[in-house]
Amino acid sequence: MNHVIHIKFQEVIGQIKPVHGVNNGPLSGSETKDLSRYFRLGGIPLIRFHDTDYPNPRQVDIPKIFPDFSKDPADAGSYDFRHTDVHMAAAYETGAKVLYRLGTSIEHMKHKVDIYPPKDYGKWAQICIGIIRHYTQGWADGFTFDVPYWEIWNEPDNNLTKPDMWIGEPDTYYRLYETAAKVIKAAFPSIKVGGYAGCTIHNEAFREGFLRHVRNTGAPLDFFSWHGYSSTVDQIARDAVTARERLRAYGLEAAEILCDEWNYIEPVPEFWTKYRQEGSEYLQQELFEKQKSRFGASFLASCFVEMQNSPLAACNYYDAQPSSSWCGMFNLYGVPQPAFYSFVAFNALYRLGRQVAVQPEAQTPQCLAARDEKNMAILLSHHGEGEIEGCLDLELDAGFPMAAEFYLLQDLGGLQQIKTEVYCTDQIQQYYTMDSNSVLLIKLHPMKEREVS
């Protein structure tokens, strides 16, 4: 036995956070695929719309909704909401909420179209007002959805090899953000406006310039967002600590911290260089198949635990569209892969609501536990090679017999129940063994009298 993990169910330390959000869905492939039932099963809490139906989006992007910039933003006839309406309605029917990216999708092609700074920042901001009114106030035959997050642009710092998201100097983005954020917040004080959806948090010059501009101009910043692609399970959590420290340095500590794109990737920056070289199709195949596998599933589950124990308020995995290479949740046909069931496992804890104390916090496997008034759950994730053994020292705080159901993530078939234990006392020592890259979910619920007898 390697170590003991103590779980104190009587000691509530906080709320389980919505870190199992995604980018896009449940519709994809020009509405030919509808994964709504899987979104409900995974309990997806927050859907970020960006690169929707890429590479040929007809929705979400401002140039698609407002195709003629010369028209009047106050005129409902200037907008084409049809395609976006379908995606928004489908998202809310699953029970999720939306983080709406105001701007445009990424452009990898040589000749760029929509990633230039708007010709008129004030008019662009008024177009944003029209979109927000349509989806939150019913304007132009719209909806009254609760859309908590409105993000201004995406990855204006994206210049790893060439500009794919913003053709302009950093200060031109800073001024767009300031203009739009002030206009939006003045019109809709209760919504959250933020950015800058950085492609990394480690571009210090862009990050510090943005935070300095926000502080100096008094621009609203309800949330600060960036993207994290990593091969280590604690990298995003560590980046969140950096975000908190930098926000605090500029007096912006009230802003929520969001990582709204993330996934497994081979070590960077070497990966991005190889990704664009001749023969990279083999590298990409290896990466994207790994994301879908049990390796990817254990990576996700371990990241969920680390994210929960970080300053992050919410996260969005990239991507949930089967047509996207970066989708580890489903194959091309929309069939759930092992990685999808890490969302299901984490959601079992999210639904319970209250996080309880786990000691030690840092260990292998990663461990998270939660409870409501009567039910409890434990998530264990071993992202690594080799079999490990250990003991869960449980303080249940139940006062009545509990049934413990054990679910193990399989290569095929998702989470399969492997056994049930009966706990008749509040102090339990439960031994476990986990194979390489494995995820174990334990659900505890009160037993009925006839079950006990």
Side-chain angles (χ1 to χ4, degrees), residues 6-7 25-26 29 44 84 88 107 117 127 137 171 174 211 218 222 232 236 280 333 343 357 381 392 420 426 446:
H6 302 276
I7 303 178
I44 305 302
T84 308
M88 289 286 284
E107 296 183 5
I127 297 169
Q137 295 185 349
D171 69 312
Y174 303 158
L211 296 177
D222 295 313
T232 55
I236 296 170
S280 67
Y333 311 103
F343 286 82
S381 179
L392 300 177
T420 300
D426 277 351

Coordinates of all heavy atoms in Angstrom, one line a residue, residues 6-7 25-26 29 44 84 88 107 117 127 137 171 174 211 218 222 232 236 280 333 343 357 381 392 420 426 446:
H6 N -7.2 10.6 3.5 CA -8.3 10.8 4.5 C -9.4 11.7 3.9 O -9.1 12.8 3.3 CB -7.7 11.5 5.7 CG -6.6 10.8 6.4 ND1 -6.8 9.8 7.3 CD2 -5.2 10.9 6.2 CE1 -5.6 9.3 7.7 NE2 -4.7 10.0 7.1
I7 N -10.6 11.3 4.0 CA -11.8 12.0 3.5 C -12.7 12.3 4.6 O -13.3 11.3 5.2 CB -12.5 11.3 2.3 CG1 -11.5 11.0 1.2 CG2 -13.6 12.1 1.8 CD1 -12.1 10.2 0.0
G25 N -21.5 23.0 -29.1 CA -22.5 21.9 -28.9 C -23.8 22.4 -28.3 O -23.8 23.6 -27.9
P26 N -24.8 21.6 -28.2 CA -24.8 20.2 -28.5 C -24.9 19.9 -30.0 O -24.8 18.8 -30.4 CB -26.0 19.6 -27.7 CG -26.9 20.8 -27.7 CD -26.1 22.0 -27.5
G29 N -21.9 20.1 -37.0 CA -22.0 19.5 -38.4 C -23.2 20.1 -39.1 O -24.0 19.3 -39.8
I44 N -23.2 19.0 -18.6 CA -22.4 20.2 -19.0 C -23.0 21.5 -18.5 O -24.2 21.8 -18.9 CB -22.3 20.2 -20.6 CG1 -21.7 18.8 -21.1 CG2 -21.4 21.3 -21.0 CD1 -20.4 18.4 -20.5
T84 N -27.7 31.1 -35.3 CA -27.3 31.2 -33.9 C -28.4 30.9 -33.0 O -28.2 30.3 -31.9 CB -26.7 32.6 -33.6 OG1 -25.7 32.9 -34.6 CG2 -26.1 32.6 -32.2
M88 N -28.2 28.3 -29.8 CA -28.5 28.8 -28.4 C -29.6 28.1 -27.8 O -29.6 27.7 -26.6 CB -28.7 30.3 -28.5 CG -27.5 31.2 -28.8 SD -26.4 31.4 -27.4 CE -27.3 32.5 -26.4
E107 N -8.9 32.1 -38.0 CA -8.7 32.0 -39.5 C -7.3 31.5 -39.7 O -6.3 32.2 -39.6 CB -8.9 33.3 -40.1 CG -10.4 33.8 -40.0 CD -10.6 35.1 -40.7 OE1 -9.7 35.6 -41.4 OE2 -11.8 35.7 -40.6
P117 N -9.1 44.6 -36.8 CA -9.9 45.4 -35.9 C -11.1 46.1 -36.6 O -11.0 46.5 -37.8 CB -8.9 46.5 -35.5 CG -7.5 45.8 -35.7 CD -7.7 45.0 -36.9
I127 N -23.4 46.9 -32.0 CA -23.8 45.6 -32.6 C -23.8 44.6 -31.5 O -24.7 43.8 -31.4 CB -22.8 45.2 -33.7 CG1 -22.9 46.2 -34.9 CG2 -23.1 43.8 -34.2 CD1 -21.8 46.0 -36.0
Q137 N -33.1 39.8 -23.7 CA -34.3 40.7 -23.5 C -35.4 40.5 -24.5 O -36.4 41.2 -24.5 CB -33.9 42.1 -23.5 CG -33.0 42.5 -22.3 CD -32.6 44.0 -22.2 OE1 -32.9 44.7 -23.1 NE2 -32.0 44.4 -21.1
D171 N -2.3 47.4 -28.5 CA -3.1 48.5 -28.0 C -4.4 48.7 -28.7 O -5.3 49.3 -28.2 CB -2.2 49.8 -27.9 CG -1.9 50.3 -29.3 OD1 -1.5 49.6 -30.2 OD2 -2.1 51.6 -29.5
Y174 N -6.6 46.6 -26.9 CA -6.9 47.1 -25.6 C -8.0 48.2 -25.7 O -9.0 48.3 -24.9 CB -5.7 47.8 -25.0 CG -4.5 46.9 -24.8 CD1 -3.2 47.4 -24.7 CD2 -4.6 45.5 -24.7 CE1 -2.1 46.6 -24.5 CE2 -3.5 44.7 -24.6 CZ -2.3 45.3 -24.4 OH -1.2 44.5 -24.3
L211 N -3.9 44.4 -18.6 CA -4.3 44.7 -17.2 C -4.0 46.1 -16.9 O -4.8 46.8 -16.2 CB -3.6 43.7 -16.3 CG -4.0 42.2 -16.4 CD1 -3.1 41.4 -15.5 CD2 -5.5 42.0 -16.2
G218 N -10.3 52.3 -16.3 CA -11.5 52.0 -15.5 C -12.5 51.1 -16.3 O -13.7 51.1 -16.0
D222 N -15.2 41.9 -15.4 CA -15.8 41.0 -14.5 C -15.2 39.6 -14.5 O -15.3 38.9 -13.5 CB -17.3 40.8 -14.9 CG -18.1 42.1 -14.7 OD1 -17.9 42.8 -13.7 OD2 -18.8 42.5 -15.7
T232 N 0.7 18.4 -18.5 CA 0.7 18.2 -17.0 C -0.6 18.6 -16.4 O -1.2 19.6 -16.7 CB 1.9 18.9 -16.4 OG1 1.7 20.3 -16.7 CG2 3.2 18.5 -16.9
I236 N -2.8 24.1 -15.6 CA -3.8 25.1 -15.6 C -4.1 25.7 -14.2 O -4.3 26.9 -14.1 CB -5.1 24.5 -16.2 CG1 -4.8 24.1 -17.7 CG2 -6.3 25.5 -16.2 CD1 -5.9 23.3 -18.3
S280 N 3.3 16.0 -40.3 CA 2.7 16.2 -39.0 C 1.3 15.4 -38.9 O 0.8 15.3 -37.8 CB 2.4 17.7 -38.8 OG 1.5 18.2 -39.7
Y333 N -18.5 10.3 -35.4 CA -19.9 10.0 -35.6 C -20.7 10.4 -34.4 O -21.9 10.2 -34.4 CB -20.0 8.4 -35.8 CG -19.1 7.9 -36.8 CD1 -17.9 7.2 -36.5 CD2 -19.3 8.1 -38.2 CE1 -17.0 6.8 -37.5 CE2 -18.5 7.7 -39.2 CZ -17.3 7.0 -38.8 OH -16.4 6.6 -39.8
F343 N -16.3 13.5 -17.7 CA -17.3 14.5 -17.5 C -18.4 14.0 -16.7 O -18.9 14.6 -15.7 CB -17.8 15.1 -18.8 CG -16.8 16.0 -19.5 CD1 -15.8 15.5 -20.3 CD2 -16.9 17.4 -19.4 CE1 -14.9 16.3 -20.9 CE2 -16.0 18.2 -20.1 CZ -15.0 17.7 -20.8
A357 N -13.4 17.9 2.8 CA -12.0 17.9 3.0 C -11.4 16.5 2.6 O -11.8 15.5 3.0 CB -11.7 18.2 4.4
S381 N -8.5 9.6 -9.7 CA -8.0 9.5 -11.0 C -6.5 9.3 -11.0 O -5.7 10.1 -10.3 CB -8.3 10.8 -11.8 OG -7.7 10.8 -13.1
L392 N -8.5 4.4 1.4 CA -9.3 5.6 1.7 C -9.8 5.5 3.2 O -10.4 4.5 3.5 CB -10.5 5.6 0.8 CG -10.2 5.7 -0.7 CD1 -11.6 5.7 -1.5 CD2 -9.5 7.0 -1.1
T420 N -20.4 -3.4 -5.1 CA -21.0 -2.6 -4.1 C -20.6 -3.1 -2.7 O -20.5 -4.3 -2.4 CB -22.6 -2.8 -4.2 OG1 -23.0 -2.4 -5.5 CG2 -23.3 -1.9 -3.2
D426 N -19.5 4.8 10.6 CA -19.1 6.0 10.0 C -17.6 6.1 9.8 O -17.1 7.1 9.2 CB -19.5 7.2 10.9 CG -21.0 7.6 10.6 OD1 -21.5 7.1 9.6 OD2 -21.5 8.5 11.3
P446 N -27.8 6.4 1.2 CA -28.4 5.6 2.3 C -29.1 4.4 1.9 O -29.7 4.3 0.8 CB -29.4 6.7 2.9 CG -28.9 8.0 2.4 CD -28.3 7.7 1.0

